[in-house]
Amino acid sequence: MKAKVTEIASDVYRISTFHPEYRIQFNQFLIKDDEPFMMHTGFKKMFPITLAGVATIIDPAKLRWIGFSHFESDECGALNELLEVAPRAQAVCSIVGAMVTVNDFADRPPRALNDNEVLEIGSRRLRFLATPHVPHAWDAGLFFEETERTFLCSDLFFHPADPEPLIESGVVDRARESMMAAVTSPLAKEMPYTPYTESTFQRLAALEPQTLALMHGSSFHGDGRQAILDLANVVKETFGTGSIT
Ligand SMILES: [Fe+2]
Ligand SMILES: [Fe+2]
């Protein structure tokens, strides 16, 4: 396995590794600025591959912030390995994430962010949105980079295989196909449809992203607002109707 690095927006780098057993990509995103920020660490067992990818962009020791959505191994499994190679680095996550897991798990204390809090990393600002159960998990949150309008959307828009780094159409179709294909698999019920799922998607769409940075699958450049609204409809049809039993 080897990480493939692509600049998907100015100073926003996608570090993508295709895992031959899972048959999906695990993508991390590095935003280069005075205080470099990385979204997702990837699996602990893939850490040397991820680190080699980071090293093609910056000196990994300069990494300052490590963000992720929710506590799962592809989101933050290699957090402590990264904290070790980057002595100034600190995890940034939701308040729930810090209290419930990361305060205990991380070898250095994380910085817990309030809903809508802005993290300044130099010339760039990252807005944190607490999004419980979107894409899944109580501690979920997502980051929006305001200058390039890049939305770091974790598992939203998931699609499998090893597709191209960046597409300009079809991201919702791919997400819909993946959800339909998964309805009989053990992973089918990944998103609980709650009384606030719809309003969370509305809130994300209002960010009007220009680029969607997906953890699994191609990133998307285009009308992010419309893509999120369309995805919200697919999610409602799939998870909001009780049709999966
Ligand atoms: Fe996840
Ligand atoms: Fe994931």
Side-chain angles (χ1 to χ4, degrees), residues 70 72 74-75 135-136 154-155 215-216:
H70 47 279
E72 284 178 351
D74 57 353
E75 296 270 354
H136 41 246
S154 176
D155 295 321
M215 185 193 233
H216 311 285

Side-chain angles (χ1 to χ4, degrees), residues 2 20 40 50 58 63 72 82 110 159 164 190 203 215 232:
K2 190 173 185 296
H40 320 136
T50 306
I58 58 164
L63 193 64
E72 284 178 351
L82 263 180
H159 53 273
E164 60 274 60
E190 79 269 24
R203 191 174 169 221
M215 185 193 233

Side-chain angles (χ1 to χ4, degrees), residues 26-106:
F26 292 92
N27 303 323
Q28 298 83 42
F29 296 91
L30 183 73
I31 302 177
K32 207 159 75 169
D33 206 328
D34 298 341
E35 299 185 358
F37 172 95
M38 184 160 151
M39 181 69 174
H40 320 136
T41 71
F43 285 142
K44 182 176 171 175
K45 288 183 177 166
M46 291 170 73
F47 179 62
I49 299 163
T50 306
L51 185 65
V54 173
T56 67
I57 310 161
I58 58 164
D59 173 0
K62 300 263 166 66
L63 193 64
R64 177 66 180 90
W65 301 109
I66 302 162
F68 49 91
S69 169
H70 47 279
F71 193 82
E72 284 178 351
S73 274
D74 57 353
E75 296 270 354
C76 60
L79 175 60
N80 288 328
E81 284 68 19
L82 263 180
L83 292 178
E84 197 174 337
V85 300
R88 291 184 61 242
Q90 199 175 359
V92 268
C93 62
S94 68
I95 290 174
V96 175
M99 287 178 71
V100 173
T101 319
V102 188
N103 282 340
D104 183 61
F105 175 80

Side-chain angles (χ1 to χ4, degrees), residues 180-224:
M180 295 305 144
V183 290
T184 55
S185 93
L187 301 176
K189 295 170 183 164
E190 79 269 24
M191 190 186 289
Y193 201 87
T194 74
Y196 33 86
T197 302
E198 190 163 347
S199 59
T200 300
F201 275 109
Q202 294 284 350
R203 191 174 169 221
L204 298 175
L207 297 170
E208 299 187 347
Q210 288 177 359
T211 303
L212 304 173
L214 281 64
M215 185 193 233
H216 311 285
S218 301
S219 292
F220 167 78
H221 183 77
D223 186 345

